[in-house]
Amino acid sequence: YGTTTYLLAGQLVEEITGNPVHEELEARVLGPLGMENTFLPPVQQPPVPVVSGYYDLTGSGEETAKVTALPQAAIQSLGWTGGGLESQATDVLKLLPGIIDGGLLTDDSLDEMTTLVHDTDYGLGVNVGEIAGQAAYFHGGGVPGFRTKHAYFPDSGVAVALLSNASGPDVDAMMERVAKLVFG
């Protein structure tokens, strides 16, 4: 996984299809999964108000800098297809179950996506492994002021989405705790 690789993939999608990547995402992924509250800035903007993100700009350990006070066009354009989707938790919960069990991909494509690369727990855009002893597909990320972690537990059909509006929380540890609460 590399942000640059996904930025290049976005450019390839546009070059090959002749369409803006946000339209292809809508037609191929977001629409079929009913993800109506997911947007790809800077072309698409979520409805206002949006949640403010906080970041420790001074190194003091206190996340007091309000990221949303910075010029949003610059911040939002940095992520684009490399992690810049903005979404509500209810939409995030639909993504991995929809990809893994929802028929969006052919069996061959799903196998390729979930085949681990080298000696990691990472395939193509998704981690495959265990969380709290449960088989899981998961992915996380973050930008200044925000952290996310999404997991899908296929044996039970449970999906969990953790979204934080601060850079500091350890969403991996939080997901482990949530899974232990859910699965005992």
Side-chain angles (χ1 to χ4, degrees):
Y1 175 86
T3 299
T4 303
T5 308
Y6 280 84
L7 291 169
L8 291 171
Q11 291 176 330
L12 281 172
V13 166
E14 291 188 338
E15 183 66 29
I16 292 168
T17 66
N19 297 321
V21 72
H22 72 278
E23 290 178 7
E24 291 296 324
L25 280 169
E26 175 62 35
R28 296 171 185 260
V29 179
L30 305 178
L33 295 182
M35 296 175 67
E36 298 174 2
N37 294 299
T38 299
F39 309 92
L40 185 62
V43 176
Q44 296 176 305
Q45 293 297 314
V48 292
V50 295
V51 173
S52 296
Y54 296 90
Y55 190 72
D56 176 10
L57 288 176
T58 64
S60 68
E62 294 184 34
E63 298 191 12
T64 56
K66 189 174 179 180
V67 175
T68 46
L70 302 171
Q72 290 304 291
I75 292 171
Q76 292 170 335
S77 66
L78 292 174
W80 196 53
T81 57
L85 283 173
E86 294 185 18
S87 189
Q88 291 184 2
T90 52
D91 270 13
V92 174
L93 287 170
K94 298 173 184 177
L95 185 60
L96 285 174
I99 290 172
I100 302 302
D101 292 334
L104 282 181
L105 302 176
T106 65
D107 288 344
D108 287 343
S109 292
L110 186 58
D111 286 343
E112 188 174 351
M113 180 180 184
T114 57
T115 298
L116 303 182
V117 178
H118 305 290
D119 291 324
T120 70
D121 68 351
Y122 202 71
L124 297 175
V126 66
N127 298 83
V128 181
E130 289 188 355
I131 299 175
Q134 301 293 312
Y137 297 94
F138 51 99
H139 187 77
V143 295
F146 298 94
R147 289 286 176 268
T148 64
K149 182 83 172 201
H150 175 38
Y152 174 56
F153 303 89
D155 294 342
S156 62
V158 171
V160 177
L162 300 175
L163 294 89
S164 170
N165 67 327
S167 295
D170 181 348
V171 292
D172 295 330
M174 291 171 77
M175 182 62 76
E176 187 78 21
R177 288 194 304 267
V178 168
K180 285 179 181 176
L181 287 171
V182 171
F183 298 110

